[in-house]
Every structure is written in structure tokens, then in C-alpha cells.
Amino acid sequence: MVFAIPENLSPETYPMAWLVDTWRGAGLLEYEGVDAAGYLHELRIDNDDHGPYLRLRSTTWLSQEPAGAVDREVPGGRMYAALTKGQLWSSFEGYLRVSPNNLQGTEGRFVLEGMVATSAGHAMTWAGFIKGPQFQIVADAIAATPTAASYTGGQIMGGYVESELFYAYDMAAFGADMRSYMAGRLQRLSDCPEAEPKPATPEAQPES
């Protein structure tokens, strides 16, 4: 994995430095009670005033095209540009850091800690690890607003392969056991300048 460490990063964030960028891509989602659908994904990961952590902002939209329009073999940025943004599907913001108790790592493996808040009414902490271009995190403590849908667990696995971020998100929600939910691939915005989605049609309304 070859990349340039962004300037002005705190040394505590170096094991995660390859994640820092604006990413765009697409993928497929399906779950118990949720029909298969394509989606567009924008992810921004940056450093908040040089602090010892990274800041995350993620937004996904359903594609107006059917699920079959998503080609898993096409790079994420190109697929993003080929699809049309429809309904806002999900968003979250949060922070990720290397555990202060594991700053030296163990054989290149570093413990991760994170916390996010979602637009669906959930707040949760995450724990996991990062080792080179691979990471895995699991939802730990989960809090929800009184009207939020049932969500009891989640895990995300990802890796950097040939300049793309591939990931898979499994969750336990709506009374179902842990199972596959979303899978996609993202490219750095600088690697896909053509990654502008088709303009949404007037019929596409955001989630209230």
C-alpha cells in the first residue's frame, strides 16, 4: 500500500492515515424486510484541528435505478457517476481514534475506538482494530431514542485494494439476527474526478 500521509496529522492517527480523504462510490443493500437496492455513498474522513483522532461523515442515498444497475466489477467512483441520487437513506457523524493504551500497536495491529451518532436516532461506540490496509470494527454500547427502530448490533470490515476502499456492513436490527446489510466500494475523489452523479429528478424526495 503506497500513499502520502496528509500534512498536519497528529502522530496518534498515523495507523489510520490512509483513510483520510473524501471518498465516493456505490454498492448494494438488502436486509430482512428491505428489498435489494443500489445506493450512492459519500464518505469524508478528516482530522479535526490536528487532534489525536479522525472525524467521519457518511451519507448514503438510494439510487433511482434498480439494484441490477449496480455492477460490482466497476470501480466505485465510476459507478457513483453512473447512478442517480434518489431518497436519502442514512447518515452518520462520528470520531475514530487509536486506543491511547495501544499507541505502539502489536505486530502492526492497533486497537480502534470510535463513536457515532446516526440520523435514525442511534448513538453507539465501536471497538476493533486496524492493521495496514485492513480494519474491522464492532458496535459496542448502543443507545437509541424512544422512537428509533430496533438495532442491537453491527460490524464493519474493510480494506484498501488497488486504490479502492472495499467494505461490508453486517447488522442485527428489526428483530433479525446479525446478517449482511450493505457492501460497497469507494474511490478517493482525487482518483475519480468524473464522479458526479446524475442529477436527481423532481420525484426523488429526501427522507423526512
Side-chain angles (χ1 to χ4, degrees):
M1 178 178 63
V2 178
F3 71 99
I5 295 179
E7 295 182 1
N8 301 320
L9 281 185
S10 169
E12 291 92 336
T13 67
Y14 285 176
M16 308 178 291
W18 64 268
L19 288 166
V20 175
D21 218 319
T22 297
W23 304 80
R24 289 182 176 179
L28 289 168
L29 64 84
E30 186 175 14
Y31 199 73
E32 184 76 17
V34 179
D35 293 335
Y39 66 88
L40 297 88
H41 189 182
E42 296 180 5
L43 174 65
R44 181 176 176 81
I45 303 177
D46 59 20
N47 186 235
D48 186 16
D49 199 22
H50 319 311
Y53 50 83
L54 299 182
R55 177 173 53 188
L56 320 172
R57 180 180 177 85
S58 170
T59 309
T60 58
W61 298 262
L62 294 182
S63 67
Q64 293 190 29
E65 294 79 8
V70 177
D71 187 340
R72 296 178 184 270
E73 302 303 316
V74 172
R78 284 176 52 196
M79 200 70 256
Y80 175 95
L83 299 175
T84 310
K85 284 182 181 177
Q87 182 183 30
L88 174 66
W89 184 249
S90 66
S91 65
F92 72 76
E93 295 190 33
Y95 297 90
L96 187 66
R97 70 176 184 178
V98 171
S99 170
N101 296 329
N102 187 240
L103 292 178
Q104 302 306 313
T106 303
E107 296 182 351
R109 177 181 170 124
F110 297 83
V111 175
L112 292 181
E113 302 175 345
M115 61 182 305
V116 301
T118 77
S119 58
H122 300 98
M124 62 198 82
T125 60
W126 292 77
F129 71 89
I130 189 166
K131 183 175 183 179
Q134 298 179 325
F135 68 88
Q136 180 174 340
I137 53 175
V138 178
D140 188 9
I142 301 169
T145 61
T147 57
S150 170
Y151 180 94
T152 57
Q155 62 180 18
I156 302 173
M157 294 171 285
Y160 191 55
V161 181
E162 296 183 352
S163 300
E164 286 192 82
L165 173 54
F166 289 76
Y167 67 90
Y169 177 20
D170 299 344
M171 74 174 182
F174 316 125
D177 296 330
M178 186 78 72
R179 63 188 64 183
S180 176
Y181 171 44
M182 305 174 79
R185 52 195 293 183
L186 304 172
Q187 285 183 284
R188 300 180 190 276
L189 184 58
S190 58
D191 290 341
C192 51
E194 76 283 3
E196 290 295 337
K198 296 178 181 178
T201 62
E203 290 75 20
Q205 297 296 324
E207 195 173 29
S208 59

